[in-house]
Amino acid sequence: MKKLLLGLLLLLALTACDGQSTPEPPESEGVMCVLTEPVPPDRDGLHIFVEREVYAPSLTTFTYFIYNHTDETVEFGEDYRIQRLADDGAWVDLTPRENWGFTRIGLILKPGGEMSGTCTLDRYEEMPEPGSYRLVKPLGDREAEALFALGDSPYTVETPYGFGPLEDLPEDYRAASADCVVFLKNGMKNPENLEAFLHKSRLGAPCQLRTVRYRGDGTPIITDVIYENGHFLRRERRDGAIMEQRFSYLVTDGQDLYLSNGADWASGEKYRDSRAPLIPVEVPAELINAVESATADRLEGNFTRCLVWSRDGAWSAGLTDTPTEFSVSWQKPGEGNWGEVHDLRNWDGLETAITGLSWREDGTLLLNCETAGGGSGTLCFDPEAKRLTTVELCGLPLAEDGQ
């Protein structure tokens, strides 16, 4: 546990690997590809770091981290400014675009706490170009600064985490072992990279993990797990085909880690969730404990017990402990968000509980329900039209559409 805590507190960097690495024979059943970044400081003080040292100019949105290594609680907002180093050596503020402001929100970072945020060059008039930059962030009664640069970098708008797309990887893809977490029969090498992914996703920071499993025929199974916009996208390439699934949470059964739409293991069981393993091998106990702790924190004050995402990741639908209630939300970065809650008691009065949710290819939401008298039914909700219709009722007369 001591090793895990050290990794979680001092190592906060997403890992990435170059898909063009020199082929070499696999050493194990699975590999996680990663490139490490500088670790945050262990000294006292209030610190801020931009995730990468150098980004390509095409990538204009960046993740930063704040570390409160003081004995005081710090209060601040979303505001920041970005400066560029001029030819004369002076730091010059970039010019904000008109009608671009910050949401009024109060953030609190307690002693020993960590927090992630994002900043973007899109809010400024100046075009991104190679050079040295500085993020300036007001934190309470002081300002913190973090340096970064635009230039030659594997972190581009097409590859924001340094990974090449699954579609572009060679059939006999091999990862350089020096940049990977390797799963051997006698244990796992370099587990700090998995720890970093778990920690960053817990902070809400966008990140990506890639696993590679080698088979006897030499064709690997490659799985990407990308955490963005509050949920996980799992993409797996197997025998030339790519399958995608979206999940809301990381959970554990006490032995392994899973991607799930249930907020905890029990909720996934209740709503018959289709879970997927995060990694293909047994997970160390300290990582299980870390995910259990994160789950407990998530459930505290959060009433959502199941959350499913549409195929494009724009729509989500959730269930709470109120049996007949469901929520529907929409979000797109840079475009806004929206959400509302519905209760089937205001529909036709037949449904007594929602037992499952699923999004269809046409963008509508299916609700599996229990009905009075032990029956069952299926409803369809159109989020665009905000219209609910009955698809099927078993054991009861069919309710008329629109009642």
Side-chain angles (χ1 to χ4, degrees), residues 256-308:
D256 296 291
L257 300 181
Y258 292 87
L259 296 163
S260 174
N261 290 318
D264 58 1
W265 187 262
S267 297
E269 294 284 287
K270 177 179 179 180
Y271 296 111
R272 302 180 182 89
D273 183 42
S274 177
R275 292 175 285 243
L278 178 65
I279 59 175
V281 298
E282 186 177 351
V283 180
E286 56 264 30
L287 297 185
I288 296 294
N289 294 337
V291 171
E292 287 179 338
S293 176
T295 300
D297 291 344
R298 179 173 62 244
L299 295 179
E300 185 176 354
N302 187 335
F303 299 103
T304 301
R305 291 297 177 265
C306 179
L307 189 67
V308 297

Side-chain angles (χ1 to χ4, degrees), residues 8 197-205 227 290-291 293-295 297:
L8 292 182
F197 177 79
L198 295 177
H199 189 52
K200 294 185 77 170
S201 61
R202 181 177 182 176
L203 289 177
Y227 180 79
V291 171
S293 176
T295 300
D297 291 344

